[in-house]
Amino acid sequence: MAGTHGSSVDIATPDGTADAYLTHPDDGAPHPAVLFYMDAFGLRPHLRSMADRLASAGYTVLVPNVYYRHGRAPVVELPEFINPADRPEIFESIRPAAGTLTPEGAVRDAGVYLDWLAAHPLTTGGPAGVTGYCMGAGLALRTAGGHPERVAAAAGFHGAYLATDAPDSPHLLADRITAELYFGHADQDRTNPAEQIDRLGKALGAAGVHHHSEVYAGAHHGFTQADTSMYSAEATERHWTALLDLFGRTLRSG
């Protein structure tokens, strides 16, 4: 994408080396930092193109391979176009990699990624923005709750299992969050049913978290992912409008 520069980077963590994609405007100036969390299919060309689009709006964006404990990206072989209905074995192949990331490990990794971004000469050094997709929406929520002083805004799109009955459900961190949050939920999403959307909203409201949640009618889980059968161009553009508005209001003072 014109106007941005992307590169592969390695980030040392307590558990190994996380490979990641870093992209930023090619003007050589520092910009607000954004931590971009992948969906379950992992770091791949489509996510890099999404990160480039975000960078072109004036951000320095880091997309870590959160499966790094399992291996470098791509950790599984993916078709150019992902249709889980035709290839149900894809999820089985991903499961071992996903299993290497615990909630505790995710929060620990988040601190490393935020430190790395804050120290980078092409970031402004202020609190970061976070965005996440699918499983990444839960990681964004955990990051906001685990590092409240470091996150100014966090967004999650077609998030999965955000407010379950589990004792370590992401929504239970609500009372620690100081960031402004935005969620774009898919209404055709078995991983995030209406009762969980309601539970998340009530938890955030009770904790006094500044947040906005919208349900995208007709959208499926994965609607932002153009290399999948779940993609919706209309819902994706709506997501970009909401995300850029959130970051434009919360990160520009950094």
Side-chain angles (χ1 to χ4, degrees):
M1 180 178 294
T4 63
H5 176 77
S7 60
S8 296
V9 298
D10 283 349
I11 301 172
T13 82
D15 297 330
T17 300
D19 52 308
Y21 179 67
L22 179 72
T23 180
H24 52 84
D26 59 9
D27 57 8
H31 294 274
V34 173
L35 178 56
F36 182 122
Y37 282 123
M38 65 190 221
D39 66 346
F41 296 125
L43 183 53
R44 61 194 191 281
H46 173 64
L47 288 191
R48 293 184 181 94
S49 70
M50 288 184 70
D52 288 342
R53 178 167 174 176
L54 184 52
S56 72
Y59 301 97
T60 294
V61 183
L62 180 71
V63 192
N65 165 27
V66 303
Y67 297 155
Y68 72 86
R69 293 172 181 83
H70 187 81
R72 298 180 71 86
V75 296
V76 298
E77 185 176 346
L78 295 169
E80 285 189 22
F81 183 76
I82 304 167
N83 185 350
D86 293 340
R87 297 282 302 277
E89 76 278 4
I90 290 174
F91 287 112
E92 288 304 314
S93 66
I94 289 170
R95 200 178 306 277
T100 64
L101 184 63
T102 64
E104 296 78 15
V107 173
R108 187 166 64 247
D109 288 348
V112 174
Y113 303 145
L114 292 170
D115 281 345
W116 192 91
L117 279 166
H120 199 284
L122 291 179
T123 70
T124 55
V130 185
T131 187
Y133 302 84
C134 176
M135 60 173 275
L139 296 176
L141 193 52
R142 292 191 191 282
T143 299
H147 304 279
E149 73 288 353
R150 318 275 304 276
V151 178
F157 298 92
H158 47 82
Y161 311 112
L162 298 176
T164 71
D165 294 325
D168 57 0
S169 176
H171 80 288
L172 297 176
L173 295 170
D175 61 355
R176 299 189 57 194
I177 294 172
T178 58
E180 181 178 345
L181 305 185
Y182 175 89
F183 291 95
H185 302 292
D187 74 343
Q188 306 294 310
D189 190 347
R190 288 176 295 178
T191 71
N192 189 35
E195 59 266 24
Q196 289 196 35
I197 294 173
D198 183 62
R199 184 182 295 149
L200 174 63
K202 286 179 176 176
L204 296 174
V209 177
H210 185 191
H211 71 284
H212 186 54
S213 177
E214 296 182 305
V215 177
Y216 292 19
H220 292 264
H221 182 73
F223 63 74
T224 61
Q225 304 303 300
D227 59 351
T228 77
S229 58
M230 295 81 81
Y231 176 65
S232 165
E234 180 181 359
T236 296
E237 288 309 307
R238 182 177 174 182
H239 131 274
W240 280 119
T241 298
L243 183 64
L244 293 174
D245 176 66
L246 175 69
F247 287 167
R249 287 184 290 102
T250 57
L251 300 184
R252 288 307 178 183
S253 61

